[in-house]
Amino acid sequence: MIYLTRRERFNAAHKLYREGWTLEQNEAVFGKCSNPNWHGHNYELFVTVKGEVNPETGFVIDLKELKSIITTYVIDKLDHRNVNLDVDFMQGKMASTEVLAIEIFHQLKAHIEAHGAILHSVRLVETENNSVEYFGD
């Protein structure tokens, strides 16, 4: 078993808020992240796959294919977008980094498996000091 990680980057805006809460409740729970005018991050995404090395290619997955999968199903949907408003797989969900990482994992899993690898984890870095990592259900 070998592990391979690909890093990608994207920029996106979001806000954390609950529709049924008052402005004061949202601010008390989410602080500046509930800014009605949104805020943004320069995210780093680390996608780790695992599997056996193919003896014919020497790869667990072709990196060109992995990059293409990540770009098509995640980066193109998130980069320079509003996570709350523009991203199909985030509709109706809290736009926290935790939820975003889970949903990115779900976007990638089947496509990576179709290429013979297993999606091990998604690590999403929101700021220099904050990141989350999701290993699946």
Side-chain angles (χ1 to χ4, degrees), residues 17-18 83-85 87-95 99:
Y17 71 103
R18 297 198 60 84
V83 175
N84 301 75
L85 301 177
V87 181
D88 60 352
F89 62 83
M90 290 298 293
Q91 293 301 302
K93 298 178 176 84
M94 182 60 73
V99 173

Side-chain angles (χ1 to χ4, degrees), residues 63-125:
L63 281 170
K64 289 187 304 290
E65 290 298 325
L66 182 57
K67 178 181 174 49
S68 177
I69 291 166
I70 297 168
T71 299
T72 300
Y73 298 101
V74 176
I75 304 302
D76 286 349
K77 293 182 177 194
L78 284 165
D79 193 34
H80 289 83
R81 306 273 189 231
N82 182 309
V83 175
N84 301 75
L85 301 177
D86 301 329
V87 181
D88 60 352
F89 62 83
M90 290 298 293
Q91 293 301 302
K93 298 178 176 84
M94 182 60 73
S96 68
T97 303
E98 294 90 328
V99 173
L100 186 54
I102 292 167
E103 296 306 320
I104 289 170
F105 187 99
H106 292 151
Q107 290 298 301
L108 297 174
K109 188 175 188 307
H111 301 288
I112 288 170
E113 288 177 355
H115 288 273
I118 299 164
L119 180 55
H120 176 69
S121 67
V122 164
R123 180 172 175 243
L124 187 59
V125 179

Side-chain angles (χ1 to χ4, degrees), residues 6-12 41-47 75 97 100-101 104 122-128 130-132:
R6 171 81 187 180
R7 180 183 67 176
E8 295 290 343
R9 296 182 179 112
F10 64 92
N11 308 95
H41 298 282
N42 299 316
Y43 292 93
E44 281 188 292
L45 173 64
F46 296 85
V47 176
I75 304 302
T97 303
L100 186 54
I104 289 170
V122 164
R123 180 172 175 243
L124 187 59
V125 179
E126 181 182 66
T127 70
E128 179 180 310
N130 300 323
S131 68
V132 300

